Amino acid sequence: MADLEGQGPSELVAKAVDVHRRGQIEAAAAQYAKILEAWPTEVNALNNLAIIKKHQGDFQGALALLSKAFDAHSGNAVVAAAYGNLCFGLKDLSEARRAYARTLDLTPRDPAVLRSQADVLRQLGLTSESIAHYDRLLTLEPDFAEGWAIRGGLKADLSQPADAAVDFARALELKPDFPQAWNNYSQVLRLLGRLNDALVATENALRNQPDYPLAQVNRAKALSDLSRPGESAKAWAIALKGRPHHLNGLGLMLQEKAKACDWSGYQEIVAEIRQKTREGQTVDLPWTFLSHTADPHLQLQSAKIHLGDRFPAAFDPLWRGEVYDHDRIRLAYVSSDFRNHAMSHLISGLFKRHDRTRFEVTGLALGPASNDAVRQKLIPTFDRFFDLKDLSDVAAAQLIRQLEIDILIDLNGFTTYCRPGIFAHRPAPLQINYLGHPATMGAPFMDYIIGDRWVTPKTLEEAYSEAIIRMPHAYQVNNVEREISEVTPTRKQVGLPDEGFVFCCFNANFKITPDVFAIWMRLLKAVPGSVLWLMQNHPEAAANLRLSAQAAGLDPARLVFAPALPVNEHLARHRLADLFLDTFNYNAHTTASDALWAGLPIVTFAGDGFASRVAASLLDAVGLSALITESPAEYEVLALSLAQDSERLATLKSHLKEGRMAFPLFDTDRFCQGLETAFEAIHERQHQGLVPIGLDVADLMGLTG
């Protein structure tokens, strides 16, 4: 070791520090460097020279010095914290974690280090460990409002909304003027179904920070949850001024306007969404995209954009090619709609019909919480039933992997309460997109989609990322046991005039587009005394539709709106209608099955996308392909022709009434047999190590048509 004029490092360091304090930075740096030539691990010289290099912007030089100090002085908490802070700043999270861990071993009650380590763990995806550090921090600093809010956010990330709500409430008790906490609290309240409270929370956020676009976004979402679409659309418009590129904001605003049947700027917004989708921009969700764009290639692009945003990196698969050796094929159906919902009304008859000598059937319920009568009837139709709503995506996927499910069927796709993240973890060898999302999911982790020759024609196969299983008749399962009330209400009871032709469309209001409504208005003009009977999903929609009718030169009273009723009563009132008029981009689906089951003919226009061809599929499966048209003009001509031909219309109704129990559409047993044939075929291919390919179930079953 060099002598340095007989002086030891302590005295030399003290002199260098004095020079440093007087602001003579270059001189101090030179002295620290001189000390380190003689004493390479002198801790103060290493630390202080690192400080100088950081101030000079030489972060790598500072890192090298602190790394040496960290390695040489394992008992020095100051060095460990400084090294951790620098690593954190340089995004070396693993090394920052190691440094902070040592610091906390030495000073376990240091609030700043606890917070920093918690943040590192959060960014590393170690959410539970991050929460544990906030537990310790909040014990030391119980009045740290930001800490309560951050821990609430972490608990929300772990799908623990009730616990998260407690933390946010505590943060806001400590700091009522905390807009970020109010905003994040609103999202947790939405998850808990406390919708009015969620709206109030967003308004409190905006009261404390009026120029807070993200709070305006969440206000728009809260208003949507409360079925106030007109207000929601206005909130979206304000939010998009502050965040013009907010993910999916433009599409979600259009969806709210569509729910309210407010078509101001409709064509311009649709054109913008389509163009930005072509360019790969995020402007709409895949499901809402379907209501305004029937092009399946653009639908595929929309789905891929959404997946890229949602899952920027692929997860390690939980199933890694293992071949299960089960006595029966293990099926699992995943859905948020095992409750009083249209999906359950369609599919409820299927589960109990699966051949239990060949299949074991599991139900996996997502949120929201439900214990209604429909769910109580569904649960016994499964061999096993699990509620996944409180599990994170990865925890739910791990459960599925432990159950060794062979074929996992997603009944949601990208619809409300969907959980594609479960499927993205690849918990099962075969994963299928069915029923909920009438389009491709564009996902590499989805192997098959179930369709038929109408909804997934071979000419459009390239628009689907999944291999297509074509059912021999309609892709849509139906429950043959659905009850229709024997009591038919009078026309007066439902608000219809005593006389006159009744055009009907019980589709959701958002499916009605300006082009189809214009056709409907021309039909009303052409058929004196006729009325159009529509669902009243939203009072705003009824008001706007009446205004549109008036603008078309019609008495708004010729639009009659039907309130929601129990299913059996709703089906019964179909008997009062004469003809169902379908919507274009997004057809009647369950609504079409309802009409046909109740004996009401439908006129449809078959577009290009899955969602715009469903009614055609259903009509074909009841022997009424003559009611499928190939253009809006042909649709209008056919509808008018039927309205003026009572004999033909009576024949169509008689056909539906007399043949109802014989139609393939309503033969649940036949559908189940076809589906099981498909499941066995794809299961066998998977066991042989073969990749998914398109399959025609009619061929597998040896059917001729």
Side-chain angles (χ1 to χ4, degrees):
M1 184 180 294
D3 189 354
L4 286 186
E5 301 178 357
Q7 296 178 332
S10 298
E11 185 177 346
L12 290 171
V13 169
K15 290 180 179 180
V17 169
D18 184 59
V19 173
H20 194 168
R21 285 174 176 163
R22 292 201 301 271
Q24 299 173 22
I25 303 302
E26 294 298 333
Q31 291 188 33
Y32 291 137
K34 189 72 172 175
I35 293 167
L36 291 171
E37 288 178 9
W39 293 278
T41 60
E42 208 294 317
V43 66
N44 296 294
L46 287 167
N47 187 65
N48 293 347
L49 184 55
I51 291 172
I52 290 173
K53 288 188 176 294
K54 280 197 295 182
H55 288 165
Q56 293 173 338
D58 181 6
F59 297 109
Q60 292 303 317
L63 184 66
L65 292 164
L66 286 176
S67 177
K68 182 180 288 187
F70 181 75
D71 291 340
H73 301 279
S74 60
N76 192 309
V78 173
V79 165
Y83 181 53
N85 290 339
L86 184 56
C87 289
F88 194 9
L90 294 173
K91 308 300 183 186
D92 187 348
L93 299 180
S94 295
E95 195 65 2
R97 179 188 179 191
R98 188 168 75 95
Y100 288 143
R102 179 186 293 178
T103 311
L104 291 171
D105 286 341
L106 298 168
T107 56
R109 297 175 63 82
D110 186 324
V113 179
L114 278 167
R115 183 175 183 181
S116 295
Q117 181 70 313
D119 203 12
V120 166
L121 293 166
R122 178 184 61 79
Q123 293 188 41
L124 285 169
L126 301 170
T127 307
S128 295
E129 292 184 42
S130 181
I131 289 173
H133 281 71
Y134 269 104
D135 292 343
R136 292 165 61 185
L137 174 62
L138 292 170
T139 299
L140 296 171
E141 296 189 346
D143 294 335
F144 180 33
E146 288 79 1
W148 289 100
I150 293 170
R151 192 176 75 170
L154 291 167
K155 289 180 176 179
D157 290 343
L158 284 185
S159 300
Q160 299 172 1
D163 291 340
V166 172
D167 281 0
F168 281 120
R170 176 61 177 152
L172 291 164
E173 181 182 338
L174 293 166
K175 190 177 179 180
D177 58 345
F178 190 171
Q180 291 77 18
W182 279 116
N183 181 57
N184 294 337
Y185 189 29
S186 74
Q187 297 179 73
V188 170
L189 292 168
R190 287 181 68 219
L191 291 172
L192 292 172
R194 295 169 55 185
L195 304 182
N196 285 302
D197 290 340
L199 177 60
V200 170
T202 63
E203 291 171 343
N204 285 337
L206 290 164
R207 186 175 297 112
N208 287 287
Q209 186 179 328
D211 58 339
Y212 191 177
L214 190 55
Q216 195 65 254
V217 165
N218 287 321
R219 181 171 179 270
K221 292 178 179 179
L223 287 165
S224 176
D225 291 339
L226 290 166
S227 294
R228 293 159 62 177
E231 294 174 81
S232 177
K234 291 175 183 176
W236 271 116
I238 295 169
L240 288 170
K241 289 180 181 178
R243 292 173 66 95
H245 305 296
H246 182 82
L247 294 183
N248 308 305
L250 192 61
L252 291 171
M253 179 182 73
L254 180 64
Q255 180 72 0
E256 294 306 313
K257 288 170 68 70
K259 289 178 185 176
C261 295
D262 170 8
W263 299 319
S264 57
Y266 179 85
Q267 298 297 346
E268 294 80 6
I269 298 171
V270 169
E272 183 178 355
I273 290 173
R274 290 176 181 171
Q275 182 57 34
K276 288 184 174 179
T277 299
R278 291 186 189 98
E279 295 168 356
Q281 298 185 48
T282 303
V283 287
D284 202 355
L285 292 170
W287 182 75
T288 53
F289 191 83
L290 303 181
S291 65
H292 58 73
T293 298
D295 182 338
H297 298 92
L298 272 183
Q299 292 171 0
L300 174 61
Q301 173 77 341
S302 174
K304 287 183 174 179
I305 292 169
H306 177 70
L307 286 167
D309 294 332
R310 196 159 185 165
F311 309 115
F315 298 112
D316 290 333
L318 294 178
W319 175 77
R320 296 185 174 89
E322 301 89 345
V323 177
Y324 299 146
D325 184 21
H326 303 145
D327 294 335
R328 299 179 292 167
I329 297 174
R330 296 184 183 178
L331 307 177
Y333 291 89
V334 183
S335 179
S336 65
D337 302 323
F338 293 137
R339 54 193 171 95
N340 185 17
H341 186 276
M343 190 281 298
S344 285
H345 298 158
L346 285 176
I347 203 171
S348 58
L350 173 66
F351 306 128
K352 65 182 179 181
R353 283 178 165 80
H354 277 304
D355 182 350
R356 290 314 202 265
T357 67
R358 296 149 57 209
F359 297 94
E360 179 182 281
V361 187
T362 298
L364 300 170
L366 309 176
S370 177
N371 194 34
D372 63 19
V374 173
R375 177 168 292 192
Q376 290 306 307
K377 289 181 180 179
L378 278 173
I379 290 175
T381 67
F382 293 102
D383 299 304
R384 295 180 292 184
F385 191 88
F386 298 90
D387 191 337
L388 307 183
K389 68 179 174 56
D390 294 327
L391 297 182
S392 66
D393 286 350
V394 66
Q398 287 168 342
L399 172 62
I400 293 165
R401 174 63 185 84
Q402 291 165 9
L403 294 171
E404 293 192 353
I405 298 302
D406 292 298
I407 302 176
L408 189 66
I409 303 110
D410 184 2
L411 298 176
N412 272 90
F414 292 127
T415 58
T416 308
Y417 305 114
C418 64
R419 299 276 297 277
I422 294 173
F423 294 80
H425 284 92
R426 176 58 78 170
L430 293 170
Q431 302 188 160
I432 298 179
N433 169 19
Y434 179 52
L435 199 60
H437 185 70
T440 183
M441 289 181 67
F445 48 80
M446 300 305 294
D447 304 300
Y448 291 95
I449 183 172
I450 296 175
D452 59 45
R453 70 186 184 91
W454 278 100
V455 295
T456 50
K458 291 187 177 181
T459 55
L460 292 171
E461 280 187 346
E462 72 279 4
Y464 294 83
S465 63
E466 307 92 340
I468 299 171
I469 296 172
R470 285 188 181 83
M471 298 299 288
H473 303 289
Y475 88 101
Q476 189 193 85
V477 64
N478 275 272
N479 181 12
V480 72
E481 299 167 10
R482 297 183 70 190
E483 295 181 0
I484 303 178
S485 174
E486 295 181 1
V487 178
T488 303
T490 65
R491 289 172 66 119
K492 183 177 181 180
Q493 285 174 327
V494 298
L496 293 171
D498 292 335
E499 302 291 337
F501 192 89
V502 178
F503 293 106
C504 163
C505 181
F506 286 154
N507 286 355
N509 295 158
F510 75 84
K511 296 183 181 182
I512 304 172
T513 50
D515 54 344
V516 75
F517 191 76
I519 291 174
W520 294 350
M521 295 302 96
R522 291 197 293 270
L523 289 171
L524 290 182
K525 286 181 180 179
V527 182
S530 62
V531 296
L532 177 61
W533 197 13
L534 303 169
M535 287 300 294
Q536 182 168 315
N537 299 129
H538 303 283
E540 296 160 272
N544 284 326
L545 288 170
R546 287 191 175 105
L547 288 173
S548 294
Q550 190 170 33
L554 284 161
D555 181 354
R558 292 180 70 181
L559 271 56
V560 180
F561 291 91
L565 286 177
V567 174
N568 64 330
E569 296 177 33
H570 171 61
L571 291 171
R573 68 182 168 186
H574 281 74
R575 300 183 187 118
L576 300 176
D578 294 302
L579 182 65
F580 190 110
L581 299 174
D582 198 13
T583 47
F584 291 170
N585 296 320
Y586 203 129
N587 286 173
H589 292 189
T590 304
T591 317
S593 293
D594 288 348
L596 297 173
W597 182 244
L600 179 62
I602 301 169
V603 173
T604 192
F605 157 50
D608 292 328
F610 192 131
S612 63
R613 298 177 67 83
V614 168
S617 165
L618 306 187
L619 283 166
D620 187 58
V622 295
L624 291 181
S625 56
L627 300 185
I628 304 166
T629 66
E630 296 183 359
S631 70
E634 186 182 334
Y635 167 99
E636 184 173 352
V637 168
L638 178 59
L640 180 57
S641 172
L642 290 170
Q644 295 172 336
D645 189 342
S646 58
E647 278 191 32
R648 185 181 177 192
L649 203 54
T651 299
L652 293 172
K653 289 190 173 186
S654 176
H655 170 82
L656 287 172
K657 181 179 180 181
E658 293 173 6
R660 186 174 70 162
M661 300 307 294
F663 296 138
L665 181 62
F666 300 121
D667 191 336
T668 316
D669 290 309
R670 188 191 305 190
F671 181 90
C672 183
Q673 290 165 11
L675 192 64
E676 290 179 343
T677 299
F679 286 163
E680 287 179 323
I682 65 174
H683 180 259
E684 179 62 24
R685 285 188 59 84
Q686 185 267 317
H687 269 226
Q688 292 176 5
L690 301 174
V691 298
I693 61 169
L695 300 171
D696 280 299
V697 178
D699 293 341
L700 296 174
M701 299 180 75
L703 302 177
T704 57

